[in-house]
Amino acid sequence: MPKVYVFVTLKPSLLDSAGRTVADSLNSLGYNEVAGARIGKLIELEIDNPSEERIKQMCDRLLANPVIEDYRFEVVG
Amino acid sequence: MKVAVIRFPGSNCDQDAYHALRSDVGIGAEYVWHQDRSLDGFDAVFVPGGFSYGDYLRCGAIASEAPIMEAVEQFAQDGRPVIGVCNGFQILCERGLLPGALMLNVERKFLCQNVELEAATKRCLWTAGVDRVISIPIAHGEGRYICDDETLKRLNGEDLVAFRYVNGNPNGSTDRIAGVINGRGNVLGLMPHPERATRANLGGTDGMLILKALTLIETSSR
C-alpha cells in the first residue's frame, strides 16, 4: 500500500524549547559544532489511492496546527 | 443553572470542576461524555483540564475533533458561556474557538504553583468580578501562549486578553497572556485553574471571583 510521509515542523519564528534542550545536550556530549536543533514530527500514513487534496485536508484539520506549524508531505509507492 | 462539564478520555480536572461548581459556586453541573452530541438543557460549558487523548499529536488536538465539540462550537457561536481551563484552553484553541496556541513552557519544566493574575479586560462576564490581583494555581507543561504579531495586535486592539500573569511570566507566554476571550466575550480560555481555588482549605478562594460569573447568567433551564 502506498505510504504518505507527512513532515510537521515548528514555524521557524518560534522558539523550540525542546530542540534547545537537544542542542544543549549534544554540546555537553562534546559535539560543539551543533549550534541549534529543532524537533519536528514524521507521520507515516498508509493510504490506498492517496489524494493530495484529501491529505492536505488531513494536515490542515488535524495533523498540523497552522498557528505554530508548517507541513509538507511525500507520497511513496 | 446547569453547567456541562465535558469529559474526554484523559480529562483529570473534571471532578474538581464538577464539585467546585456544585458545592462552592452553588450551581448545577453534570458530566457530558465526549461522544455525546447534545448540550440541550445546559446553560454553560466547562471544558476541564487534563491530558485528553494522552496529549497525542498536540495537546487538545484530537479532543478538538470529538463529537461533542460540534455542539460546543454551536453553543459558543450562539453567544453562550464557555470556559476552557488548561487542557480545556488548548482544546478551544485547537478547535479555532479562540486565537493562538499553547506550546511547551519556555524553561521546559512542568509548573505546579500558584501564580498571580490580573484581569486585563473588563468587557466580559468572566472578569467582571475580578477587581484585584488574584492568586490561583497553574499545573501544566505546555502553557506558553503563542500567537503571531497580527493576532497579538488584534488581541490588544480589541481588548481580547482576559488575564495576564503579574510578578513574573512562569511559562514564557507572549505578552504575559494567561487567558483570552473570543470577540463576543462569551468564550474564555485560561491556563490557571480557578476550580482549584474555591475553598480556603485548598489554599485559597480567588478562583471564585472568576467562577461566580456563572451565577449571573440568565438561564434557559426549564
Side-chain angles (χ1 to χ4, degrees):
Chain A
M1 190 173 294
K3 284 202 170 160
V4 178
Y5 295 99
V6 180
F7 300 89
V8 181
T9 49
L10 272 185
K11 283 188 187 295
S13 58
L14 295 177
L15 169 70
D16 180 353
S17 15
R20 200 176 62 184
T21 306
V22 169
D24 289 351
S25 185
L26 287 169
N27 289 160
S28 71
L29 290 173
Y31 299 102
N32 296 317
E33 67 270 37
V34 178
R38 299 183 69 78
I39 299 175
K41 296 186 190 102
L42 165 63
I43 301 165
E44 204 177 299
L45 305 172
E46 290 180 36
I47 305 181
D48 205 8
N49 290 321
S51 134
E52 292 220 349
E53 195 191 318
R54 287 179 64 81
I55 297 164
K56 201 170 169 304
Q57 275 175 25
M58 294 177 210
C59 292
D60 290 333
R61 190 164 172 196
L62 185 66
L63 300 181
N65 178 344
V67 177
I68 51 173
E69 293 168 329
D70 297 318
Y71 67 84
R72 66 184 174 82
F73 58 86
E74 291 170 9
V75 181
V76 178
Chain B
M1 174 65 200
K2 197 164 69 166
V3 183
V5 177
I6 313 291
R7 297 180 116 166
F8 301 91
S11 294
N12 68 7
C13 300
D14 44 339
Q15 294 194 43
D16 304 56
Y18 177 90
H19 291 291
L21 293 170
R22 287 172 76 116
S23 306
D24 301 333
V25 183
I27 55 179
E30 297 294 337
Y31 296 121
V32 173
W33 185 233
H34 71 122
Q35 298 279 23
D36 291 342
R37 294 178 179 275
S38 167
L39 290 167
D40 285 354
F42 288 102
D43 305 296
V45 170
F46 194 114
V47 189
F51 298 85
S52 57
Y53 295 89
D55 277 352
Y56 297 159
L57 196 62
R58 292 178 308 280
C59 302
I62 296 178
S64 76
E65 294 287 344
I68 193 62
M69 289 307 294
E70 247 176 74
V72 173
E73 183 168 290
Q74 188 61 54
F75 202 88
Q77 284 168 356
D78 291 343
R80 307 182 71 197
V82 176
I83 177 172
V85 172
C86 199
N87 188 222
F89 184 16
Q90 295 163 341
I91 292 168
L92 296 178
C93 287
E94 281 283 344
R95 183 76 191 187
L97 293 175
L98 290 171
L102 286 310
M103 292 183 62
L104 189 65
N105 296 341
V106 68
E107 295 301 337
R108 296 151 280 178
K109 285 182 187 149
F110 189 96
L111 297 169
C112 190
Q113 64 194 56
N114 273 14
V115 293
E116 295 194 333
L117 297 178
E118 65 181 5
T121 178
K122 283 287 172 196
R123 64 174 286 273
C124 70
L125 76 143
W126 301 109
T127 54
V130 184
D131 50 4
R132 57 176 171 78
V133 170
I134 59 173
S135 174
I136 61 177
I138 53 170
H140 61 247
E142 304 197 25
R144 176 165 53 112
Y145 184 80
I146 289 290
C147 62
D148 60 27
D149 292 345
E150 196 182 319
T151 305
L152 184 61
K153 249 184 231 165
R154 186 166 67 84
L155 289 176
N156 285 320
E158 297 177 18
D159 206 10
L160 302 182
V161 178
F163 292 100
R164 280 201 173 83
Y165 300 106
V166 291
N167 298 320
N169 185 0
N171 50 29
S173 289
T174 302
D175 218 16
R176 293 185 291 111
I177 292 173
V180 297
I181 52 174
N182 66 340
R184 288 171 76 169
N186 61 306
V187 180
L188 167 69
L190 75 168
M191 289 312 296
H193 288 271
E195 80 285 3
R196 292 193 192 180
T198 57
R199 291 181 200 182
N201 62 4
L202 292 177
T205 58
D206 282 358
M208 291 293 283
L209 295 180
I210 300 173
L211 296 181
K212 76 180 183 188
L214 289 164
T215 63
L216 306 174
I217 292 160
E218 277 182 47
T219 64
S220 63
S221 293
R222 42 238 98 180

